């Protein structure tokens, strides 16, 4: 009977730690999906002085989201989060880094985060190609939404799962439970509209797309990205046997 229950138990009853970087940021579609899968959310903002747990024993895993800051910034909370990532890594607890969260993971692992050598950005919708290792895990979208001016070198020991054109390293895995993705699968429609309005000054940067392309691209490309995001969360946050 117990063995049968292990196969049918819903998601881990511990909350997922959600790390955001601005006062009004939300986990967006990732938060909605995790809650639909049975998880509670523990939302914290170190940028506003909130501390992160000293162990992952009371959490099912962690997601660190993006933000307008850089993993190379000297702010105390940036250094704090980069150091803190050693906790889920050392405890083999599920970790997902999105954009800035992926770049922080790279820094924790001793890798380099930097801008494109020709000054290019990825702001809008861009092609994605899964690697052979990535294709074994999940079906990847062909186009993904990006909003960044820096990328990262693949850290030592990491497996590249997906690549792009201007910024080659787009998704990777370290060990069994640490994942980093450069692009954004968490945006709701409202979030994208907000980013397009508030980030309009960035559309003149080299390689960036104009706001109309962001919104048009959502109608064309978002459904596969949404499906991938749900499947990715299933891979990262596996049910816990008890």
């Amino acid at each position: 009977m117990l063995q049968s229950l292990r196969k049918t138990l819903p998601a881990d009853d511990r909350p997922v730690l959600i790390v955001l970087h601005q006062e009004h940021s939300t986990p967006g579609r990732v938060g909605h999906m995790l809650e639909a899968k049975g998880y509670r959310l523990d939302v914290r903002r170190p940028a506003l002085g909130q501390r992160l747990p000293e162990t992952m024993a009371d959490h099912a895993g962690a997601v660190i989201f993006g933000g307008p800051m850089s993993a190379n910034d000297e702010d105390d909370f940036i250094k704090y989060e980069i150091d803190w990532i050693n906790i889920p890594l050392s405890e083999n607890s599920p970790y997902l880094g999105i954009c800035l969260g992926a770049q922080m993971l790279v820094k924790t692992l001793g890798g380099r985060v930097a801008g494109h050598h020709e000054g290019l950005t990825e702001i809008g919708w861009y092609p994605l190609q899964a690697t052979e290792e990535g294709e074994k895990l999940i079906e990847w979208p062909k186009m993904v939404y990006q909003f960044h001016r820096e990328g990262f070198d693949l850290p030592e020991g990491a497996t590249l799962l997906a690549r792009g054109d201007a910024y080659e390293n787009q998704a990777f895995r370290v060990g069994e439970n640490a994942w980093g993705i450069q692009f954004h699968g968490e945006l709701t429609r409202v979030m994208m509209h907000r980013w397009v309005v508030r980030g309009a000054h960035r559309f003149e940067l080299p390689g960036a797309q104009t706001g109309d392309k962001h919104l048009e691209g959502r109608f064309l490309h978002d459904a596969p990205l949404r499906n991938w995001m749900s499947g990715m969360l299933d891979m990262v946050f596996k049910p816990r046997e008890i």
Side-chain angles (χ1 to χ4, degrees):
M1 181 64 176
L2 180 58
Q3 194 67 27
S4 175
L5 284 174
R6 283 177 175 167
K7 296 179 181 179
T8 59
L9 280 173
D12 193 327
D13 58 1
R14 298 173 296 174
V16 173
L17 180 67
I18 301 292
V19 181
L20 302 173
H21 295 106
Q22 295 177 288
E23 182 177 359
H24 299 295
S25 296
T26 76
R29 192 156 59 190
V30 164
H32 299 160
M33 288 177 172
L34 285 171
E35 290 179 325
K37 296 174 188 296
Y39 292 95
R40 293 175 292 118
L41 308 181
D42 178 3
V43 179
R44 306 196 192 187
R45 295 175 170 84
L48 302 183
Q50 296 177 342
R51 304 293 292 178
L52 301 178
E54 296 182 3
T55 175
M56 294 299 293
D58 295 328
H59 291 83
V63 184
I64 294 186
F65 286 79
M69 56 288 296
S70 167
N72 293 318
D73 289 347
E74 294 297 319
D75 301 79
D76 288 343
F77 77 90
I78 294 288
K79 296 177 180 179
Y80 168 62
E81 288 186 37
I82 291 171
D83 288 342
W84 177 85
I85 292 172
N86 282 299
I87 293 177
L89 291 179
S90 64
E91 297 183 6
N92 201 27
S93 179
Y95 173 89
L96 174 62
I98 299 176
C99 197
L100 176 61
Q103 295 172 3
M104 287 180 165
L105 174 59
V106 168
K107 295 280 284 187
T108 302
L109 295 168
R112 185 178 74 102
V113 174
H116 190 272
H117 65 281
E118 295 181 356
L120 295 178
T121 65
E122 286 183 323
I123 300 176
W125 292 88
Y126 299 85
L128 185 77
Q129 181 180 0
T131 65
E132 182 177 350
E133 291 300 319
E135 288 178 342
K136 295 176 183 178
L137 297 174
I138 193 172
E139 182 176 354
W140 295 76
K142 303 301 183 185
M143 298 287 286
V144 293
Y145 190 66
Q146 308 268 14
F147 216 106
H148 66 97
R149 293 181 291 179
E150 292 182 312
F152 50 81
D153 293 339
L154 195 67
E156 184 176 355
T159 299
L160 185 65
L161 303 177
R163 57 170 55 95
D165 294 333
Y167 289 84
E168 180 177 12
N169 300 323
Q170 290 289 333
F172 67 94
R173 179 181 187 177
V174 178
E176 291 298 313
N177 284 317
W179 311 75
I181 57 174
Q182 178 62 76
F183 53 92
H184 295 275
E186 79 277 16
L187 267 68
T188 63
R189 180 178 58 84
V190 171
M191 288 172 68
M192 181 169 289
H193 278 270
R194 186 186 309 125
W195 285 26
V196 166
V197 171
R198 296 181 179 178
H201 62 286
R202 300 177 187 257
F203 300 160
E204 297 181 359
L205 294 172
Q209 299 171 7
T210 55
D212 60 316
K213 297 299 183 183
H214 293 229
L215 302 177
E216 178 184 342
R218 183 175 180 86
F219 286 106
L220 296 173
H221 309 303
D222 185 62
L225 179 58
R226 180 182 64 243
N227 292 338
W228 171 87
M229 190 76 255
S230 180
M232 183 69 181
L233 292 174
D234 288 337
M235 283 200 301
V236 176
F237 298 100
K238 306 175 187 71
R240 177 176 58 119
E241 291 187 356
I242 59 172

